[in-house]
Amino acid sequence: MATLREIRRRIASVKNIEQVTDAMSVVAAARLRRAQENILATRPYADKLKTILGHLISQMDIEEEALTHPLLEEREVQHVCIISVSGDRGLCGSFNSNVIRTTTERIQHYEEDGADVTLICIGRRTQEHFERRGYDITDSYINIFRQLEFQIAVDVVHEFEHLYTDRMIDKVEVIYNNFKSAILQTVLVEQLLPLEPIEPEGDTLFLDYVYEPGQVELFEMLLHKDLNMQMWKVLLDSNAAEQAARRAAMQNATEKARELIDELILQRNRARQTQITTEISEIVSGAAALEG
Amino acid sequence: MLNRSFHLEIRTPEKMIFDGDVTSVTAPGVEGNFQILAGHIPFLTALDVGEIRVNESADTARHLATSGGVFEVLRTGVTVLVETAEWASDIDVSRAESALTRAQEQLTSDAPDLNRPQVEAAFARAQNRIKVAGNSAEISDVSTR
């Protein structure tokens, strides 16, 4: 049985932890709200881009034009680039470890098929994990989530698109935590390149535009913009998912700490009572000895 | 007919930059600058790095620095999708200037791992931002007369 002083010290330290985790969950909740707003703010742009792309494809002779575009071309997969998106910091439950585990599985999967894999790591957690284990890392982006800018997505896309058109890689995949809701995040594996063919939009009322430059040039440009947008969404989603995961983890920790405090207070009271009882019986027996 | 207005929206992935009625808009098309007035036929074009000028009425102009995007005209109005857009008054000129010198240094340094197209694009963007910020200063002088 712990002494009274030890129990008191433990209560103090658990209370400290409880305060820290509670503060962290409040901060994560505030960041989560901002991250969700950022996701919503992409809608007007993203939706319009999809509509224009859909219109354009519906007006184009797809057989001739689109399928010859290098970003749509399917090649035999020998070199794969995986973009693994984690956070920069821990204390967010299984957020980082899920991405790392899925990435490792994908790498094994491709290596069994005889393809080699290179990584682009986003976030310190994946970068440190894979670097320590000697994986092939093309590039990594660290500390980008504090101040997330669209330009970062553009830079990442530029990086792998360049490798793809130079035929250094034949396939690009991204692995990240998808923000389903504040309580549910799931790891997703999405193919970025070659692009999956986009369905034309069945808008028969749509009148064709006048194009400048030609349809094909515009189509290529829009594909590129769409790729930037996909990458941007991945970054925003992962950021929101990280904050959500951290808030949940810290809330859990706070609750556990409170339970522990309650339990320790009971123990402390019991110990104190025992001590008092011992003292009284000592005094009583002392007095009895004097009288006797 | 001169002051007929139409609806204009300028959107970026990060936010809605402009949403309102204008009398004309001038934009940097890849094949040269062009101006759109009310009643234009449906039109789709790519934008280059440059300046978008928004005229909310005949004698007020607002300037926007952009790094390129798509410009769509429909019967219902005009939508501009640009990846970056900054109002002239929001441009931090000293930051743009330092970006310009940085790009210039990189271009002249001849480093082996230099990503030339990317640095050149950064150079063009910085140059454009400085230019747009300068234009806006001139215009605001005119409008105060």
Side-chain angles (χ1 to χ4, degrees):
Chain A
M1 180 84 180
T3 69
L4 188 55
R5 189 138 44 108
E6 272 168 19
I7 296 173
R8 283 197 173 129
R9 206 183 297 141
R10 278 196 71 194
I11 291 176
S13 86
V14 176
K15 267 190 179 153
N16 250 332
I17 291 169
E18 185 239 49
Q19 275 173 3
V20 172
T21 55
D22 195 35
M24 285 181 82
S25 86
V26 172
V27 171
R31 292 216 173 116
L32 172 63
R33 205 172 324 119
R34 218 174 319 138
Q36 279 176 291
E37 281 166 14
N38 285 344
I39 292 178
L40 283 181
T42 65
R43 284 263 173 83
Y45 181 94
D47 291 351
K48 190 71 189 178
L49 193 62
K50 278 265 179 290
T51 314
I52 295 180
L53 206 49
H55 280 335
L56 195 55
I57 291 171
S58 69
Q59 301 297 321
M60 275 172 73
D61 195 348
I62 295 181
E63 298 301 314
E64 275 178 33
E65 318 279 10
L67 292 179
T68 57
H69 190 269
L71 295 186
L72 289 160
E73 178 198 3
E74 295 240 13
R75 305 196 282 253
E76 193 197 335
V77 178
Q78 284 175 328
H79 313 282
V80 182
C81 176
I82 293 180
I83 305 168
S84 186
V85 188
S86 73
D88 292 309
R89 289 187 286 169
L91 294 181
C92 44
S94 54
F95 174 85
N96 291 315
S97 52
N98 280 348
V99 165
I100 289 172
R101 201 191 54 237
T102 313
T103 307
T104 316
E105 280 166 12
R106 286 306 280 179
I107 295 172
Q108 270 169 3
H109 166 81
Y110 282 116
E111 281 174 349
E112 278 164 18
D113 286 355
D116 56 65
V117 179
T118 181
L119 290 171
I120 295 180
C121 294
I122 298 181
R124 192 190 303 280
R125 291 284 146 165
T126 42
Q127 187 258 341
E128 275 177 357
H129 178 94
F130 290 110
E131 191 170 67
R132 211 177 301 136
R133 285 161 184 77
Y135 283 86
D136 177 24
I137 298 176
T138 300
D139 205 356
S140 28
Y141 295 79
I142 284 165
N143 281 336
I144 58 160
F145 290 106
R146 290 304 295 269
Q147 253 222 312
L148 208 47
E149 284 175 3
F150 186 73
Q151 189 58 40
I152 298 163
V154 177
D155 290 345
V156 177
V157 170
H158 187 92
E159 174 120 35
F160 68 74
E161 197 185 8
H162 180 71
L163 291 172
Y164 188 84
T165 45
D166 285 356
R167 295 178 167 266
M168 307 282 280
I169 47 176
D170 308 305
K171 189 175 184 178
V172 181
E173 266 182 6
V174 62
I175 298 175
Y176 70 105
N177 278 279
N178 183 33
F179 178 74
K180 283 239 193 300
S181 74
I183 45 164
L184 183 65
Q185 302 91 40
T186 45
V187 174
L188 278 190
V189 182
E190 274 174 13
Q191 179 175 322
L192 291 177
L193 287 177
L195 290 169
E196 321 256 352
I198 307 151
E199 290 299 309
E201 219 158 275
D203 188 353
T204 45
L205 287 173
F206 179 69
L207 291 163
D208 204 2
Y209 309 103
V210 171
Y211 299 95
E212 193 184 296
Q215 276 186 341
V216 185
E217 286 88 345
L218 278 169
F219 177 67
E220 280 174 13
M221 194 200 84
L222 286 171
L223 280 186
H224 182 78
K225 300 273 176 225
D226 193 49
L227 200 54
N228 286 345
M229 196 59 221
Q230 273 187 46
M231 194 64 224
W232 178 233
K233 272 189 178 161
V234 164
L235 294 180
L236 290 178
D237 242 43
S238 173
N239 186 35
E242 181 184 349
Q243 301 307 341
R246 178 165 296 123
R247 192 190 64 166
M250 290 301 103
Q251 254 171 4
N252 262 339
T254 310
E255 269 163 37
K256 285 273 145 55
R258 284 185 184 146
E259 277 169 27
L260 192 57
I261 290 171
D262 287 348
E263 208 173 289
L264 284 170
I265 286 177
L266 279 182
Q267 273 186 33
R268 183 197 64 188
N269 292 348
R270 221 174 290 136
R272 198 168 54 126
Q273 202 154 17
T274 321
Q275 198 181 353
I276 293 169
T277 315
T278 322
E279 277 170 15
I280 290 176
S281 73
E282 270 167 12
I283 293 168
V284 170
S285 60
L290 280 177
E291 271 172 26
Chain B
M1 286 303 272
L2 195 66
N3 285 326
R4 218 153 58 113
S5 62
F6 60 94
H7 192 74
L8 170 71
E9 281 181 17
I10 302 177
R11 305 171 178 183
T12 74
E14 283 163 300
K15 58 175 185 253
M16 185 76 97
I17 296 281
F18 183 87
D19 183 0
D21 288 337
V22 298
T23 55
S24 80
V25 55
T26 311
V30 284
E31 294 178 359
N33 280 6
F34 61 89
Q35 185 182 34
I36 297 288
L37 296 167
H40 199 283
I41 52 162
F43 177 54
L44 186 71
T45 189
L47 297 184
D48 214 345
V49 176
E51 178 192 81
I52 298 178
R53 205 167 69 223
V54 178
N55 289 82
E56 283 176 282
S57 64
D59 49 0
T60 59
R62 295 179 73 189
H63 299 252
L64 195 66
T66 175
S67 61
V70 212
F71 191 104
E72 184 200 42
V73 185
L74 290 177
R75 300 263 181 236
T76 48
V78 174
T79 311
V80 186
L81 300 182
V82 282
E83 292 193 335
T84 60
E86 252 182 306
W87 289 112
S89 50
D90 299 336
I91 293 174
D92 183 343
V93 179
S94 62
R95 219 187 101 193
E97 268 162 1
S98 67
L100 190 70
T101 20
R102 200 166 53 239
Q104 232 158 1
E105 273 164 17
Q106 280 179 317
L107 286 173
T108 48
S109 72
D110 234 28
D113 59 341
L114 180 71
N115 189 337
R116 195 162 274 278
Q118 202 166 9
V119 178
E120 273 168 3
F123 183 80
R125 281 199 305 270
Q127 220 171 18
N128 178 50
R129 292 169 73 219
I130 295 168
K131 202 187 107 209
V132 173
N135 281 353
S136 132
E138 281 164 33
I139 295 294
S140 60
D141 287 345
V142 177
S143 62
T144 50
R145 78 199 143 148

